[in-house]
Amino acid sequence: MDRFLIVEDNKLMAEILAQILRKCSNPREVIKVSNVAMAQRVLIDASDRIDAIFLDLNIENPLDGIELLGYIRKNLPKMPVAIITSESETDVVKKVLSHQPQDYLIKPLSVHKVQRSLAKFKASAENTVANS
């Protein structure tokens, strides 16, 4: 797993996550986009070049990451996704988890949290291969 899409409207947060990913996994490619439309375009044009997605929950508008997660689940159901957010309200967490992301990361991010997501992504990919 070495090609990641980061969907984050805060450029500093996107760069911090990219640096953490580089530290944890030495990725071949990290694509950063800052809005839902750009993310959908990348997923349509280059989903075969993406191994996993780190998705901010509040990209341009509150909770618009849930809509994008729904789009991903509908069109790329096996794509590993980690939600990144500062939202910890029970109703929001339940709504997000209903779309079955592999992980739910509460900001601030850390190497440990990203490593946990990468481990979950790997386990998910192994389960997909084993069930094929």
Side-chain angles (χ1 to χ4, degrees):
M1 196 158 282
D2 62 357
R3 299 170 300 189
F4 300 98
L5 174 62
I6 297 172
V7 185
E8 169 67 70
D9 61 339
N10 181 312
K11 288 183 181 184
L12 180 60
M13 279 300 305
E15 188 52 39
I16 289 169
L17 177 53
Q19 291 299 324
I20 292 172
L21 280 169
R22 288 183 187 106
K23 184 174 186 174
C24 293
S25 71
N26 194 26
R28 186 176 349 156
E29 185 173 20
V30 176
I31 300 169
K32 296 179 278 186
V33 298
S34 60
N35 62 54
V36 172
M38 289 171 63
Q40 287 177 325
R41 198 168 310 120
V42 168
L43 292 171
I44 289 167
D45 295 341
S47 65
D48 60 325
R49 288 185 18 228
I50 309 238
D51 295 321
I53 300 168
F54 287 86
L55 172 58
D56 183 28
L57 189 57
N58 298 310
I59 305 164
E60 299 163 282
N61 300 302
L63 304 181
D64 58 352
I66 292 176
E67 289 178 37
L68 182 56
L69 180 57
Y71 172 87
I72 294 165
R73 285 293 163 250
K74 180 179 178 189
N75 295 287
L76 301 163
K78 295 179 186 196
M79 179 67 71
V81 179
I83 294 295
I84 304 165
T85 187
S86 53
E87 294 279 344
S88 57
E89 193 175 303
T90 304
D91 290 342
V92 173
V93 173
K94 285 181 181 178
K95 194 171 187 180
V96 171
L97 293 179
S98 73
H99 291 286
Q100 301 180 323
Q102 274 64 33
D103 208 356
Y104 190 97
L105 304 176
I106 303 289
K107 294 177 183 176
L109 295 178
S110 67
V111 169
H112 174 73
K113 289 177 183 178
V114 172
Q115 286 174 328
R116 182 188 74 199
S117 284
L118 294 173
K120 288 182 177 186
F121 290 167
K122 184 177 179 184
S124 176
E126 289 170 356
N127 286 340
T128 300
V129 170
N131 294 329
S132 296

